[in-house]
Amino acid sequence: AILNGGNYDAVIIATGAEPAKPGIPGIDSKNVCYVPDILGCKRAAGDNCVVIGGGEAGTETAAFLLPINKSVTILEADKELAAVVDEQITIALENTGAEEIQFHKKASSFFTINGVSDVIVAVGTKSVNPFKKKIPGISKVEIVGDAAAAKDGLAATAAGFRVGYYI
């Protein structure tokens, strides 16, 4: 279909990832968005934000919001924030001096936070690859980066470089 008629030595599939959507009540509400919406400046956040997820993306988003928002609450199911990242983001958040930053670690049960303007979902990503089957007529197909498995940006860039270098 899309590649018919070409004389290709190889095809590299690097279709990326999209935010994971947790199955929680209210996830389709108007005030719910995802990390790329905020960090990509596709949407402005209000004055009282809740970030669901305290990993790398969640803490980075909270750090981005703090200078422009009055209140940021991070909900994290794990016992610590950004457990897999360098501690610099977590230290920056905890030492920000912001009037309102709250951390709810081990937040596994439902509870209510009043007056929330925006909920930003930061619970990971899932791979996007519409070309899961072999591409007819192409002997070498390389799937790289988040199309192969959702990871961090550095790993995806390194995988793309390696494949491009050796083809």
Side-chain angles (χ1 to χ4, degrees), residues 132-143:
K132 291 188 189 293
K133 296 180 182 176
K134 278 232 175 229
I135 299 173
I138 306 294
S139 61
K140 186 168 183 119
V141 176
E142 297 286 346
I143 303 170

Side-chain angles (χ1 to χ4, degrees), residues 13-14 16 56 125 143-164:
I13 297 173
E56 182 177 359
T125 58
I143 303 170
V144 299
D146 287 343
K151 299 178 185 168
D152 65 82
L154 186 58
T157 302
F161 172 80
R162 282 192 299 276
V163 167

Side-chain angles (χ1 to χ4, degrees), residues 15-52:
T15 49
E18 63 188 14
K21 183 178 179 180
I24 56 176
I27 197 67
D28 293 318
S29 299
K30 290 189 304 185
N31 68 330
V32 175
C33 65
Y34 295 83
V35 170
D37 299 324
I38 298 299
L39 296 183
C41 298
K42 297 175 188 172
R43 176 176 172 160
D47 289 340
N48 187 8
C49 297
V50 171
V51 177
I52 300 175

Side-chain angles (χ1 to χ4, degrees), residues 90-144:
T90 306
I91 291 168
L93 285 170
E94 290 172 346
N95 295 328
T96 186
E99 284 182 31
E100 284 290 325
I101 182 155
Q102 299 176 37
F103 303 100
H104 293 276
K105 300 171 187 175
K106 306 259 320 155
S108 57
S109 59
F110 287 99
F111 57 93
T112 302
I113 300 173
N114 294 318
V116 173
S117 58
D118 295 280
V119 175
I120 298 104
V121 179
V123 295
T125 58
K126 62 181 182 175
S127 185
V128 173
N129 182 356
F131 306 103
K132 291 188 189 293
K133 296 180 182 176
K134 278 232 175 229
I135 299 173
I138 306 294
S139 61
K140 186 168 183 119
V141 176
E142 297 286 346
I143 303 170
V144 299

